[in-house]
Amino acid sequence: RSTVKACLWVYARSHRRNKPLVAYEFTRSPSQDGSLERLKYFRGHVQADAFLGYDRLCADPRIREVSCWIHARHSSSKSPGS
């Protein structure tokens, strides 16, 4: 039985201005090129983990990067010097 390295990209929009929507995209590559193409007209907030592939997306001035809470919690719960 073989395994492959793949990514599951999740796109979601809030119910605040539109009907809520969630879309999933499966890719066999972690390359951000597909996501950059799909989000080229997007403006707003992007919540993501620390994957370096988001750097190009978040460099766009129309995008505001927001951290996920699990990383914020881990950062604040570390003791000094750890």
Side-chain angles (χ1 to χ4, degrees):
R1 187 173 191 166
S2 64
T3 60
V4 295
K5 202 171 206 180
C7 287
L8 181 64
W9 303 88
V10 181
Y11 307 94
R13 82 175 170 201
S14 171
H15 67 282
R16 292 182 192 167
R17 296 185 184 167
N18 301 290
K19 289 185 178 181
L21 172 72
V22 177
Y24 300 92
E25 178 183 18
F26 174 84
T27 63
R28 291 193 175 256
S29 166
S31 169
Q32 73 269 31
D33 293 337
S35 291
L36 288 171
E37 178 64 25
R38 266 169 270 329
L39 296 171
K40 69 181 174 183
Y41 299 113
F42 176 78
R43 72 174 32 171
H45 295 86
V46 171
Q47 182 178 8
D49 60 15
F51 175 55
L52 293 176
Y54 300 118
D55 288 352
R56 279 180 35 210
L57 175 66
C58 294
D60 186 326
R62 298 172 303 155
I63 303 290
R64 182 167 183 193
E65 183 179 13
V66 295
S67 300
C68 65
W69 284 105
I70 191 69
H71 291 95
R73 184 179 68 81
H74 282 276
S75 295
S76 66
S77 64
K78 289 182 180 176
S79 62
S82 63

